[in-house]
Amino acid sequence: MAEIGKDILKAKIYLDRGEVVAIPTETVYGLAGNATNPDAVAQIFKVKNRPHFDPLILHTHNLAAVQHLLQEIPEKAYKLSQKFWPGPVTILLEKKTLLPDLITAGMNRVAVRVPNHPLSFELLRKLDYPLVAPSANPFGYISPTSAKHVEDQLGNQIKYILDGGTCNIGIESTIVGWEGDKSIIYRLGGVTKEALEDILGPIELLPHSSSNPKAPGMLKSHYAPRKKIILGNLDELIEEYKDKKLGIIAFKETILAKADIKQVILAPDGEMETAAKNLFSSLRALDEENVDIILAEEVPSHGLGRAINDRLRRAAAPR
Ligand code: TXA
Ligand code: MG
């Protein structure tokens, strides 16, 4: 089983050797490896059982540290990095050929981000190479927001989990890039569309695709629990599925308590940040309960609510 601890130097020793280590970020836990070591990168795909068409995000402590791997960085990217890094936005940038092809799945752009977590930030500062780190879950399953989540699923495949507590944001980073002059969000996440538009002006939201994923985090069915999840009006759904053992995910209000319904309230305080932080752990918890089916309602569609609904819809998408 993986050792769980807060020892940055130990994590560094494993990473220097080309092994993979789970690391905390403000969004979700990542499964990290040396981006410049093709064996380490290959190991990440293997542990996650991730298809090779799905590229990885490069993690660094600052843009200057990866500049030699990138073509000219556009002014807009500098602006975003100054405003949001360290923080939950990932920027797609034209790469040089120095990076292992596996990282970008053969595409011209590499995704780059500076995570906002003191342990991983310090670790990145101590390394002489950037890390690639997808979310530390088996491909297609819910992303982990605690060391325990990582241990439950990948604990017997990795040696070390750097324990940074529960992730503050709880959903993955927002992925942004440019096609010509157009700014595009490829994945909604921890930084809202509105906050990005303050800096970039109008941004297009790329529709999800299940067939030709430009960012496979955009696959329609993703972030999915093993149990069937159905989205809609909770009162109606509870009536419709009254013969089943139900798990329920509500936004802020308790649904009329019935003895045999397991219920989770995402945000008793009504705050979107709270709902985001609790979303993945709630899905996991209900997935492990003795229920047949998980019923959930969407949250109001503004701010982080858009990203939360995006994850709920994909968790509910037919597989
Ligand atoms: O918050 C996060 O971004 C977390 C933490 C660990 O940093 N990481 C994460 O990685 O969510 P992952 O691999 O689970 O999701 C990354 C998404 C994938 O859907 C991938 O397709 C997309 O980023 N992506 C990566 N590189 C890309 C590229 N060059 N072009 C388009 N999409 C890319
Ligand atoms: Mg992921």
Side-chain angles (χ1 to χ4, degrees):
M1 276 313 263
E3 185 187 342
I4 302 183
K6 296 182 188 301
D7 189 341
I8 292 176
L9 288 179
K10 194 174 251 181
K12 179 176 186 304
I13 289 168
Y14 283 122
L15 291 165
D16 284 346
R17 270 191 219 152
E19 300 199 45
V20 299
V21 166
I23 60 165
T25 83
E26 79 283 27
T27 58
V28 301
Y29 274 71
L31 183 64
N34 176 351
T36 62
N37 177 339
D39 292 337
V41 179
Q43 185 66 18
I44 290 175
F45 282 89
K46 193 162 156 235
V47 169
K48 273 191 66 110
N49 195 17
R50 179 173 174 120
H52 283 176
F53 64 69
D54 194 355
L56 304 178
I57 297 176
L58 199 62
H59 292 61
T60 178
H61 63 285
N62 73 35
L63 196 48
V66 294
Q67 210 154 10
H68 63 292
L69 301 169
L70 303 170
Q71 308 279 358
E72 200 180 327
I73 298 167
E75 194 49 42
K76 295 182 262 201
Y78 279 116
K79 273 198 191 150
L80 282 191
S81 69
Q82 277 157 12
K83 170 84 183 168
F84 295 107
W85 283 355
V89 68
T90 292
I91 309 179
L92 297 184
L93 295 166
E94 300 287 329
K95 65 158 188 169
K96 288 192 177 147
T97 48
L98 292 167
L99 278 174
D101 261 348
L102 199 49
I103 292 180
T104 52
M107 292 189 271
N108 302 332
R109 290 185 298 183
V110 60
V112 183
R113 105 173 186 92
V114 177
N116 185 17
H117 189 290
L119 281 186
S120 292
F121 193 79
E122 195 47 37
L123 172 64
L124 284 161
R125 260 174 23 102
K126 286 191 160 41
L127 300 172
D128 336 316
Y129 46 82
L131 294 173
V132 275
S135 51
N137 50 280
F139 183 71
Y141 195 68
I142 306 158
S143 299
T145 52
S146 71
K148 168 82 168 57
H149 291 166
V150 181
E151 185 193 29
D152 286 349
Q153 292 194 300
L154 302 181
N156 55 8
Q157 295 187 74
I158 61 178
K159 294 202 179 116
Y160 198 64
I161 301 172
L162 190 60
D163 186 357
T166 302
C167 300
N168 250 328
I169 306 271
I171 49 176
E172 299 84 349
S173 60
T174 306
I175 302 180
V176 192
W178 296 276
E179 290 179 17
D181 279 340
K182 252 192 312 184
S183 302
I184 297 175
I185 292 180
Y186 295 86
R187 177 178 72 184
L188 288 161
V191 168
T192 63
K193 181 166 184 274
E194 293 87 341
L196 289 172
E197 284 182 331
D198 281 348
I199 309 279
L200 296 176
I203 307 183
E204 200 176 300
L205 199 60
L206 209 72
H208 306 146
S209 143
S210 52
S211 53
N212 180 24
K214 262 200 185 146
M218 299 168 20
L219 284 171
K220 248 190 191 147
S221 157
H222 214 79
Y223 313 105
R226 286 174 290 263
K227 288 198 175 124
K228 191 176 171 65
I229 159 158
I230 300 177
L231 278 187
N233 176 292
L234 286 176
D235 293 320
E236 289 170 24
L237 289 174
I238 291 169
E239 179 56 27
E240 186 176 343
Y241 291 98
K242 59 176 178 249
D243 301 333
K244 305 245 182 233
K245 277 187 253 153
L246 298 179
I248 288 184
I249 298 183
F251 173 43
K252 61 178 180 181
E253 266 141 40
T254 313
I255 304 297
L256 179 72
K258 292 192 186 152
D260 54 348
I261 294 184
K262 302 271 183 227
Q263 198 167 158
V264 181
I265 315 295
L266 289 180
D269 60 5
E271 297 295 332
M272 231 40 111
E273 286 71 20
T274 313
K277 198 169 167 173
N278 289 327
L279 179 66
F280 288 154
S281 55
S282 304
L283 281 167
R284 267 178 198 258
L286 286 181
D287 211 19
E288 278 153 29
E289 283 285 353
N290 178 24
V291 301
D292 302 323
I293 226 171
I294 300 168
L295 307 178
E297 64 180 352
E298 291 193 2
V299 305
S301 185
H302 56 80
L304 280 183
R306 253 195 282 263
I308 295 170
N309 288 336
D310 167 79
R311 301 303 189 273
L312 282 170
R313 283 176 206 150
R314 286 192 234 182
R319 270 159 271 164

